[in-house]
Amino acid sequence: MSLKAGIVGLPNVGKSTLFNAITKKNILAANYPFATIDPNVGVVTVPDKRLEFLENLYIPNNLVPTTFEFTDIAGLVKGASKGEGLGNKFLSHIREVDAIVEVVRCFKDENIIHVEGDVDPIRDIEIINLELILADLEIIENRIEKIAKKAETTKDKEALKEVETLEKAKEALQKNQALRLVPFEEEEKLILKPFNFITLKPLIYVANILEDDIVLGENEYTKKVCEFAKNEQAGVIVMCAKIESQLAELEESEKVAFLKDLGINASGLDRLIFATYDLLGLETFFTVGKDEVRAWTFKKGTNAKKCAGLIHSDIERGFIKAEIMKFNDLEQLKDEKKVQEAGKLYLEGKDYIMQDGDIVYFRFNV
C-alpha cells in the first residue's frame, strides 16, 4: 500500500533539513530559494515497538516494518499557482501525495534569508494556502467551462451532478476555504476524487523552532500557528529540524540519551511520523512466522478480505477465513499455543473489520 506525505512550505523554512532527518539522506539544503528542484522521495519506517517483541519471539529470517513515503517538494512562493518561481511544476507534485506536511518557520535567524523579508508564520501559511486554493480553483473553472453547457443541454444527470458539486467546491474556494473543510456528501466526494484537489488532502503543520526553544516546546510564533490550526481543524507538530537532523545520525541508544539530556520523551520526527500515519487514517496488522514477521498498513475500517488483498490478490480472491490473535494477548501469554488454549484465537469471516495490532493468518483457496 503505497502512501505519500508531501512536505511543502516557503523557501528556507527548514523543509530540506527536515527531509534530510527523515530519510538520513544528504540532499541539497542551501540558503537560497529553489535549492530543491526535483521532488526528493524517501521511504520512512513507522516506529513500532510491537515489531521488536514479535522479532524476539519468532526470530524470523526477515523482518519488514510498515513504511510510507515523504516527498520533499521545492519551496513555493507567492504567485506559484500562476507559474511564479517553478510553481506549476511543484504544484503538480503535490497533487500526487495523500497528505500535506506544511513546514512553517517559527524562528528568527539573521543568517538565514526569509523570502518575504521577515518572520511571520501566519502570513507564510496564508501565502502557501492561497496558492493551493488558486491552483484548485483553476482546475474547477476549466472543468466547469468544459462541461456546463453540454450538461445543461443534454440534461445528463451525472454531468449535472458533477457541475453542481464543482460549483459548490468553487464557492468554498472563492471564500478562501480549503475543500477538506467543506461537508461534502459521499456522492460528491466520489465526483471530486479523480481531480486530486490539493486542498482536499489532510494537512498537518510543522512549526520549526530553534534549539534554544526545544525544551520549552513553544514560542510566540508557535502559539499563533497552533491557534490558526485549531480553526482549520489541522494538527501541529513543534520541532527543531536542525536537532532532528543531528538525531538521525545517532545510534538508537545515543538518540535516547540525547533526548533525555534535552528533557524530552520523543523526537519531533517520531511524533510527526505517528501524526501523519494517524492523519491518513492508517492502522497496522501483522503476519508472523519463522520465515518473516511483517507489518502491513491498512485504512481504518477495512474488512479482512480487503486486507488479505494487500498481501496478494489471490488471497483476497480465494478468501475463506482469517485466524486472528490480538497483539496484547500474545504479548501477555508469549506463546501462540497458550493464546489458543486461553480461547483467544478467533476465526473471522470476510466482513470482519480489521483492528490495529491484529496478528492474522489468512485461510484461502484458489
Side-chain angles (χ1 to χ4, degrees):
M1 190 175 191
S2 181
L3 291 148
K4 296 180 182 179
I7 305 173
V8 302
L10 292 176
N12 298 340
V13 297
K15 294 189 297 61
S16 295
T17 305
L18 174 61
F19 182 79
N20 287 346
I22 286 172
T23 61
K24 299 184 182 179
K25 290 179 182 177
N26 187 27
I27 64 163
L28 182 62
N31 181 26
Y32 56 89
F34 316 124
T36 314
I37 304 267
D38 293 314
N40 294 273
V41 179
V43 177
V44 177
T45 299
V46 179
D48 196 329
K49 291 188 180 297
R50 295 173 297 185
L51 267 181
E52 294 176 25
F53 171 83
L54 294 173
E55 182 182 22
N56 290 331
L57 184 64
Y58 288 93
I59 315 174
N61 297 325
N62 196 26
L63 181 73
V64 185
T66 187
T67 61
F68 61 88
E69 293 178 1
F70 272 103
T71 303
D72 180 34
I73 296 164
L76 294 172
V77 294
K78 192 182 293 183
S81 59
K82 301 300 181 186
E84 290 295 322
L86 297 173
N88 284 332
K89 182 179 178 182
F90 300 149
L91 286 168
S92 69
H93 293 315
I94 302 174
R95 294 197 187 283
E96 298 168 8
V97 304
D98 300 293
I100 295 172
V101 175
E102 188 169 330
V103 183
V104 187
R105 178 168 166 175
C106 290
F107 64 88
K108 285 182 180 179
D109 188 334
E110 293 179 1
N111 296 316
I112 301 178
I113 302 160
H114 192 292
V115 72
E116 289 295 318
D118 63 345
V119 179
D120 183 343
I122 304 306
R123 177 207 56 210
D124 294 354
I125 288 172
E126 288 175 342
I127 287 173
I128 294 292
N129 291 0
L130 178 59
E131 293 305 323
L132 303 185
I133 282 171
L134 291 173
D136 281 352
L137 193 56
E138 183 180 3
I139 286 178
I140 287 176
E141 288 173 339
N142 290 340
R143 180 61 179 170
I144 289 174
E145 185 180 345
K146 186 176 180 180
I147 68 166
K149 190 172 181 181
K150 184 180 177 182
E152 189 60 40
T153 303
T154 62
K155 302 297 181 186
D156 180 82
K157 287 184 179 180
E158 287 186 10
L160 287 169
K161 184 62 180 176
E162 181 180 343
V163 172
E164 179 189 333
T165 303
L166 291 173
E167 288 287 359
K168 179 178 176 179
K170 178 182 174 181
E171 184 180 346
L173 292 172
Q174 286 175 332
K175 294 177 181 176
N176 281 350
Q177 185 180 20
L179 295 182
R180 66 180 167 276
L181 301 176
V182 180
F184 290 110
E185 297 171 2
E186 286 305 314
E187 184 184 1
E188 293 172 328
K189 289 177 183 177
L190 289 173
I191 290 169
L192 296 175
K193 189 175 181 180
F195 293 99
N196 265 340
F197 289 123
I198 301 170
T199 65
L200 201 54
K201 300 177 188 297
L203 178 145
I204 189 167
Y205 293 105
V206 166
N208 188 19
I209 59 176
L210 292 176
E211 301 97 306
D212 294 346
D213 293 327
I214 196 71
V215 176
L216 192 59
E218 64 178 14
N219 59 31
E220 58 178 310
Y221 299 126
T222 63
K223 290 175 184 176
K224 291 177 181 177
V225 173
C226 289
E227 191 61 35
F228 184 92
K230 193 186 298 179
N231 295 329
E232 275 201 333
Q233 299 169 26
V236 179
I237 298 293
V238 179
M239 71 164 73
C240 173
K242 188 175 179 180
I243 282 184
E244 296 303 322
S245 65
Q246 293 169 2
L247 283 168
E249 299 300 321
L250 301 178
E251 296 295 330
E252 190 61 30
S253 59
E254 295 174 317
K255 178 180 167 182
V256 171
F258 189 11
L259 289 172
K260 189 176 180 181
D261 288 343
L262 290 172
I264 53 179
N265 297 321
S267 73
L269 178 52
D270 283 353
R271 288 185 289 113
L272 175 61
I273 292 171
F274 288 132
T276 309
Y277 199 70
D278 187 59
L279 186 68
L280 290 169
L282 304 178
E283 292 182 326
T284 302
F285 73 84
F286 302 97
T287 51
V288 296
K290 289 293 181 185
D291 288 336
E292 181 181 84
V293 167
R294 183 164 184 158
W296 300 86
T297 301
F298 68 99
K299 286 273 189 184
K300 291 178 184 179
T302 305
N303 65 33
K305 187 176 180 180
K306 286 289 183 186
C307 282
L310 295 175
I311 299 174
H312 198 286
S313 57
D314 284 349
I315 302 178
E316 180 179 4
R317 185 162 54 89
F319 180 94
I320 300 172
K321 290 286 183 180
E323 291 182 7
I324 305 280
M325 284 186 293
K326 301 299 180 182
F327 174 83
N328 290 344
D329 292 334
L330 183 60
E331 184 181 36
Q332 182 183 354
L333 298 170
K334 296 179 174 54
D335 184 272
E336 279 191 23
K337 190 174 181 182
K338 289 180 180 177
V339 171
Q340 187 174 5
E341 289 170 352
K344 293 185 176 181
L345 179 65
Y346 308 101
L347 205 57
E348 303 288 356
K350 63 181 181 179
D351 294 326
Y352 167 75
I353 301 301
M354 294 286 286
Q355 303 296 310
D356 185 59
D358 279 352
I359 299 168
V360 60
Y361 170 74
F362 291 108
R363 295 185 187 176
F364 69 103
N365 184 34
V366 288

